[in-house]
Amino acid sequence: MVVMSKQSPNMEQFCVVNSSQSTNTLIPLIDLSQPDSKSCLVKACEEFGFFKVINHGIPTEFISKLESKAIKFFSSPMSEKEKAGPPDPVGYGNKSIGRNGDVGWVEYLLLSTNLENDCQRIASVVGETPENFSLCVNNYVKAVKKMACDILEMLAEGLMIQQKNVLSELLMDKQSDSVFRLNHYPPCPVFHGKHLIGFGEHTDPQIISVLRSNNTSGLQISLKEGSWIPVPADQDSFFINVGDSLQVMTNGRFKSVRHRVLANSYKSRVSMIYFGGPPLSEKIAPLPSLLKEGSNNSLYKEFTWFEYKKSAYKSKLADNRLCLFEKI
Ligand code: GA4
């Protein structure tokens, strides 16, 4: 059984106001084993900033082991889980997201991908050695990071960029500022005919995010015209989001996708997300080969990942964080 906070939340805070949906749009599906997938990847990033991948080669064992550790953690008594909190910036969080008053029907663990220190507090909650817990997280993160790098290299090739590791090297860098997140959305009945927000609408600030969930639905992505489409859950596939930084590096050609999660009425949803970010000192700017020769047609002012992250952490979840960095 999963225990949520005893304090009773104001349910109105979690309700979705606009749930207009467009259900006949299909999410792009990329088979990573197909040699022609590069152009499909580019198209998906341009049109949706989101796609699903199959034939990814990530061992099922890494996924199931980590998932069962996450379930064990989230099933622990609240007093125990709270020992692993608050998420400042890593640790356990419950209903409160970020530092600026956002709430969601979710509890979570935030970890940096440089895990040694983070795992101690968490492992003790589930009665494990930190080594055992961090091995599970490390195996999983290493595998999804490799997949994210492969995808970034295919994208660079699809964009005809000569240096194919120009994006992936940012994630491979030892200083890469990447984050890993385990989310648990407890089931919650529809309230006055409205669904509860699990995780409010937002874009991810990093370069690329890799999401895997159990078979419980709830994730939705926003189309360009603002309607929401539900993403059918698929525990055997991964879902990839273009982040704000990749939108900038492609000078707006790829779209950072707005997404959200609604609480499911009957089932718990457990998701694990790797957010691949660059080193803090990295300049985030359009790749020169994607700019028009001889004219600086960059849509964005220059900034470092540190500057962007600092500004992002001052924002509310739903804010458009990139507009502060757009050229007028
Ligand atoms: C969204 C993507 C990642 O989950 C995250 C989130 C972070 C947090 O939960 O602390 C943020 C959010 C995310 C963007 C704006 C700020 C920061 C909550 C929030 C209101 C870990 C991240 O890197 O940015």
Side-chain angles (χ1 to χ4, degrees), residues 80-92:
E80 286 300 308
K81 290 187 280 193
E82 278 169 349
K83 289 182 187 158
D88 57 358
V90 295
Y92 173 72

Side-chain angles (χ1 to χ4, degrees), residues 1 3-5 14 16 51 56 61 70 99 105 108 119 121-122 182 195 208 210 218 224 237 246 268 282 286:
M1 190 188 61
V3 186
M4 292 293 279
S5 161
F14 297 93
V16 182
F51 53 91
H56 44 72
E61 189 200 340
R99 300 165 190 168
W105 196 254
Y108 58 89
C119 285
R121 286 192 294 168
I122 295 152
L182 292 166
H195 272 285
I208 193 166
V210 181
K224 281 173 196 157
S237 303
L246 188 53
S268 268
E282 188 68 28

